[in-house]
Amino acid sequence: MNSTRLTGAIGISLLALAACGGEDGTSGKAGSSTLLRLSNEAAGDSCPDGGTKIEFGTDANGNGTLDDSELEGTRYACNGAASGGPVGKRGAMGPQGDIGAMGATGAMGATGAMGATGAMGATGAMGATGATGAMGATGAMGATGAMGATGAMGATGATGATGATGAMGATGATGATGALLNLITLAAGSTACANGGVTIQVGLDDGDGGGTAGNGILEAGEVDDSTNLCNG
C-alpha cells in the first residue's frame, strides 16, 4: 500500500492598521475568505513517486476561485515508494459500485486570441477645396488707460486665539490577516478515510469564533474551508 508524506513551505502574512488623533479614522477593510486548490503532482523533485499538490491563499477579489495572483503557500501530499516484494495474484473483480455524483463544473477557459485586423480600405478621393473668404479689416487698438495710485497698506490685525484641540477619532476596525493552513493526520479506520490520510484546513488568522487574531495559529473558529485527502 502506498503511504502519504507531506513536504513544502507555508507563507504567513500579517496586516496591521493604526489610527491617529484628530478627525475620525477610516474603517478597516472587510475580511476575505480563504480557498484551496488541489491538483495531481507528477513524479519529480517535489514528489519522487507523485502525489497531490495543495495550493492555498486569500480570495482577495471575492470571485470564489483561487487565482494564481492570490497564492500564499503550497504543500505536497506525496505517495510513498512501492515496496520491493513480489506482486500477489490479482483478486476477483468486485461488483460495480454506484455511479458517483457529478463533479462541479470546471472554470471557464481563457478567451481565445483576437483575430488579425483586416486590411485597411482604400482612402477616398479628397473633395474640392472651397473658396477662401475675404479677411475682415483689423480694428484700431484702443488707448491704454492711466494707472491709478496705489493705496496705503492697512494695519495688521491682532492674532486670533488658538482653537481648542479636536477630539481623537475612533480607532478603525482591524483588517483581515493572512491565510493559515492546518494538516491533520487521519489514522486508518477513521470515518473520513478508511485507509487513513490527512485533513486539510485553511482560514484567516482573524479571531473568528472566539479565537485570538494575529497569533499565528489557525483555531477552530477561524477555519473557512476544509477537505480530506485519503490514502488509496
Side-chain angles (χ1 to χ4, degrees):
M1 177 187 301
N2 288 340
S3 61
T4 301
R5 61 188 178 84
L6 302 174
T7 61
I10 178 171
I12 302 175
S13 61
L14 300 176
L15 174 64
L17 300 177
C20 299
E23 298 181 356
D24 290 347
T26 57
S27 299
K29 294 183 178 178
S32 302
S33 63
T34 50
L35 298 173
L36 285 173
R37 187 168 67 190
L38 304 181
S39 59
N40 292 329
E41 179 69 14
D45 293 339
S46 298
C47 286
D49 296 291
T52 300
K53 183 178 183 180
I54 307 166
E55 297 170 297
F56 64 95
T58 303
D59 188 12
N61 59 14
N63 66 352
T65 300
L66 184 60
D67 299 320
D68 291 344
S69 61
E70 298 170 337
L71 289 178
E72 294 183 27
T74 301
R75 281 197 173 186
Y76 298 91
C78 298
N79 299 326
S83 68
V87 178
K89 295 178 63 177
R90 177 180 296 180
M93 182 178 295
Q96 180 170 320
D98 295 331
I99 298 175
M102 181 177 293
T105 302
M108 181 178 293
T111 302
M114 182 178 293
T117 303
M120 181 179 294
T123 304
M126 182 180 294
T129 304
T132 303
M135 182 180 293
T138 303
M141 182 180 293
T144 303
M147 182 179 293
T150 304
M153 181 179 293
T156 303
T159 302
T162 302
T165 302
M168 180 177 293
T171 301
T174 301
T177 60
L180 295 178
L181 181 74
N182 273 350
L183 298 175
I184 303 172
T185 301
L186 297 174
S190 66
T191 303
C193 291
N195 296 318
V198 62
T199 295
I200 307 166
Q201 297 177 334
V202 67
L204 294 174
D205 192 9
D206 53 9
D208 279 354
T212 302
N215 65 352
I217 300 173
L218 183 61
E219 298 165 291
E222 297 172 329
V223 175
D224 292 330
D225 192 12
S226 67
T227 188
N228 296 316
L229 184 63
C230 299
N231 296 332

